[in-house]
């Protein structure tokens, strides 16, 4: 006969039943949650580089190859044809303004200068002689004019006397006419002398000016020869470093032949060239940048060659920061010429996947501790940023490091810290 169970026994039986059902159910629930997480592939966040989508300016540029050269470099040529007598300096020497470089044989030049000085002295004497001769000759004509004026005045008095005598019957009409004729003749001769004085004064003055012009030309030639002589002493025109000098003592050098080169290594520029088709983006004072040792330095276009050579245009840039001590002569550098500026656009830092220029890319975006592949359209880029045209929003976080080996569309991030 069955015994009726007590409440205590009934509760114990219920607990056993719940345990038999609950434990397997809990195990199944935990498995349902943890197994997908265990099976989902993951990546170590500490081995990745991330970037944030933000807003800002992005300039686009054209690339050009360049070489670092001294900002100041001067080739010193021989101003005369002469032999090298002595060499005072060697390549690598530091120079001050006026430092002698070498000595040329200047005897022939000095002899020519002495001849020009003697010739100049003769011209000075010729000018003075002509001046005195002009004064003497013109003074003589002026004296003749004074004498003639006195004679004309006397003839005028005689005319008046003859007219008076004729009026009182003491003279004759013939005497009056003779006196008037003599007076008119004297006046004509006086005017002739005055005209002669004017004409000869102009002629003699022109002759004197011609002699003075010859003297002025001689002075200029002599001055040029003296400057050439001074240049032929071959001194450094400024503080610099000697990079080349002709050390062949006794060698004959021609006028205009390179004899030394100096450079200022305290500042540098980058000489570069770009395709002729892009010359419209080049202008003195234009913005540029220089990439050296993976670092970007802002720069300014200094000069642009007005002609192209073999389809390329040469130009030079200088760094905006004079304190940047990263340039060495002969170093290769990548130069970027800024051609356009896009303001207030969505942008991301340059990432490894951006290899084909503007177009559609698949980037991994961070979301809830995972990274998930997303289709994104990217635009123009420079060394720092890429324009985002669609597919991302401001504040999104993306993977910048290479993801070429990633096969799945989604990965869990391990060791990830926001």
């Amino acid at each position: 006969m069955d015994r009726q169970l007590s409440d205590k026994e009934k509760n114990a039986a219920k607990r056993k039943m719940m345990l038999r059902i609950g434990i397997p159910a809990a195990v199944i629930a935990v498995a349902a949650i943890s197994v997908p997480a265990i099976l989902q592939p993951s990546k170590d966040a500490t081995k990745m580089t991330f970037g944030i989508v933000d807003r800002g300016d992005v300039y686009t540029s054209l690339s050009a190859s360049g070489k670092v050269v001294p900002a100041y470099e001067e080739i010193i040529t021989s101003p005369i044809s002469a032999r090298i007598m002595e060499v005072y300096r060697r390549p690598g020497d530091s120079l001050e303004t006026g430092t002698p470089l070498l000595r040329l044989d200047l005897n022939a030049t000095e002899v020519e200068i002495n001849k020009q000085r003697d010739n100049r002295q003769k011209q000075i004497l010729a000018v003075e002689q002509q001046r005195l001769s002009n004064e003497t000759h013109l003074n003589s004509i002026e004296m003749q004019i004074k004498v003639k004026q006195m004679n004309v005045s006397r003839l005028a008095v005689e005319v008046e006397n003859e007219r008076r005598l004729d009026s009182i019957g003491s003279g004759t009409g013939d005497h009056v006419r003779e006196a008037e004729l003599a007076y008119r003749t004297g006046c004509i001769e006086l005017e002739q002398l005055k005209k002669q004085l004017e004409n000869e004064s102009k002629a003699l003055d022109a002759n004197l000016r011609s002699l003075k012009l010859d003297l002025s030309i001689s002075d200029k030639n002599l001055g040029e020869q003296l400057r050439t002589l001074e240049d032929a002493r071959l001194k450094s025109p400024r503080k610099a470093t000697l990079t080349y000098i002709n050390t062949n003592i006794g060698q004959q050098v021609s006028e205009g032949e390179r004899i030394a080169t100096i450079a200022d290594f305290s500042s540098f520029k980058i000489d570069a060239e770009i395709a002729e088709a892009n010359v419209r983006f080049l202008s003195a004072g234009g913005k540029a940048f220089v990439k050296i040792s993976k670092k970007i330095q802002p720069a300014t276009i200094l000069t642009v060659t007005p002609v192209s050579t073999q389809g390329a245009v040469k130009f030079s840039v200088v760094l905006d920061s004079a304190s940047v001590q990263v340039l060495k002569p002969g170093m290769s550098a990548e130069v970027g010429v800024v051609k356009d500026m896009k303001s207030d656009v969505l942008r991301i830092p340059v990432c490894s996947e951006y290899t084909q220029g503007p177009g559609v890319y698949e980037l991994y975006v961070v979301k809830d501790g995972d990274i998930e592949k997303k289709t994104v359209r990217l635009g123009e880029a420079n060394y720092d940023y890429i324009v985002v045209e669609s597919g991302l929003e401001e504040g999104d976080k993306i993977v910048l490091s290479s993801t070429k080996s990633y096969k799945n569309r989604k990965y869990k991030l391990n060791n990830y810290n926001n």
Side-chain angles (χ1 to χ4, degrees), residues 53 130 183 188 285 304 329 370 398 409:
V53 180
Q130 183 66 46
Y183 173 72
I188 292 172
V304 180
D370 296 337
I398 64 168
R409 295 197 62 83

Side-chain angles (χ1 to χ4, degrees), residues 44-62:
D44 188 353
T46 60
K47 297 180 180 179
M48 297 179 181
T49 304
F50 300 94
I52 302 295
V53 180
D54 66 357
R55 283 194 171 274
D57 299 335
V58 178
Y59 60 82
T60 56
S61 62
L62 299 169

Side-chain angles (χ1 to χ4, degrees), residues 347-396:
R347 64 183 187 179
I348 60 173
V350 172
C351 64
S352 299
E353 305 305 320
Y354 189 84
T355 57
Q356 303 297 322
V360 177
Y361 292 86
E362 290 190 325
L363 304 181
Y364 281 91
V365 181
V366 177
K367 186 176 181 181
D368 298 330
D370 296 337
I371 55 172
E372 186 174 352
K373 187 178 288 188
K374 193 172 184 180
T375 301
V376 177
R377 179 174 289 278
L378 302 179
E380 297 285 349
N382 57 32
Y383 286 108
D384 297 316
Y385 294 101
I386 307 170
V387 175
V388 177
E389 295 185 348
S390 63
L392 294 174
E393 296 180 358
E394 186 174 359
D396 284 349

Side-chain angles (χ1 to χ4, degrees), residues 286-304:
K287 295 299 181 182
F289 55 87
V290 178
K291 184 179 182 182
I292 299 177
S293 302
K294 297 182 179 181
K295 292 184 178 180
I296 305 298
Q297 304 290 348
T300 301
I301 298 175
L302 183 64
T303 57
V304 180

Side-chain angles (χ1 to χ4, degrees), residues 39-281:
L39 295 179
Q40 181 180 340
S42 63
K43 294 291 181 180
D44 188 353
T46 60
K47 297 180 180 179
M48 297 179 181
T49 304
F50 300 94
I52 302 295
V53 180
D54 66 357
R55 283 194 171 274
D57 299 335
V58 178
Y59 60 82
T60 56
S61 62
L62 299 169
S63 296
S65 58
K67 180 176 287 187
V68 178
V69 298
Y72 173 85
E73 188 172 38
E74 181 176 346
I75 296 175
I76 299 175
T77 60
S78 176
I80 60 174
S81 294
R83 289 187 304 112
I84 298 175
M85 304 300 291
E86 290 183 86
V87 178
Y88 304 128
R89 300 291 171 180
R90 291 290 183 271
D93 287 353
S94 296
L95 308 173
E96 298 293 332
T97 302
T99 301
L101 302 177
L102 52 76
R103 182 169 69 86
L104 297 175
D105 183 1
L106 304 178
N107 288 336
T109 302
E110 290 173 344
V111 168
E112 181 62 28
I113 288 175
N114 289 333
K115 286 182 179 180
Q116 289 195 23
R117 282 174 172 162
D118 293 341
N119 183 60
R120 179 179 180 276
Q121 191 62 36
K122 288 176 61 178
Q123 289 177 315
I124 291 175
L125 294 175
V127 168
E128 182 63 18
Q129 184 179 7
Q130 183 66 46
R131 185 185 66 79
L132 293 174
S133 176
N134 291 354
E135 288 182 0
T136 301
H137 185 67
L138 296 176
N139 287 338
S140 175
I141 297 176
E142 288 174 351
M143 291 302 296
Q144 293 179 43
I145 291 174
K146 289 181 180 179
V147 171
K148 183 59 68 175
Q149 286 175 334
M150 293 172 63
N151 187 41
V152 168
S153 297
R154 180 182 61 79
L155 292 172
V157 172
E158 290 182 356
V159 169
E160 290 298 323
N161 290 336
E162 290 295 334
R163 286 176 178 172
R164 187 170 56 254
L165 290 173
D166 184 54
S167 66
I168 61 176
S170 297
T172 64
D174 290 339
H175 288 166
V176 173
R177 286 190 292 273
E178 287 177 2
E180 289 177 344
L181 179 61
Y183 173 72
R184 286 195 297 269
T185 302
C187 289
I188 292 172
E189 290 175 347
L190 178 59
E191 290 299 320
Q192 186 178 17
L193 284 174
K194 289 181 178 179
K195 194 65 177 178
Q196 180 183 354
L197 176 63
E198 181 182 353
N199 291 338
E200 293 199 19
S201 177
K202 291 179 179 179
L204 293 174
D205 185 59
N207 189 28
L208 183 61
R209 288 201 307 271
S210 177
L211 292 176
K212 288 182 177 180
L213 180 59
D214 290 340
L215 177 60
S216 176
I217 293 173
S218 294
D219 286 342
K220 291 179 180 178
N221 291 337
L222 179 59
E224 185 64 29
Q225 285 290 329
L226 290 173
R227 284 190 293 271
T228 299
L229 179 64
E230 183 62 26
D231 292 342
R233 302 188 191 282
L234 294 174
K235 300 177 182 179
S236 175
R238 61 176 292 168
K239 184 176 181 180
T241 300
L242 184 65
T243 58
Y244 166 81
I245 190 168
N246 189 334
T247 58
N248 298 318
I249 296 176
Q251 179 182 343
Q252 181 79 18
V253 292
S254 303
E255 180 180 349
E257 182 177 341
R258 184 176 79 141
I259 205 164
T261 304
I262 62 172
D264 183 358
F265 291 115
S266 63
S267 59
F268 298 92
K269 64 180 180 179
I270 297 92
D271 286 342
E273 61 179 23
I274 200 168
E276 182 181 3
N278 297 317
V279 69
R280 66 185 185 278
F281 298 111

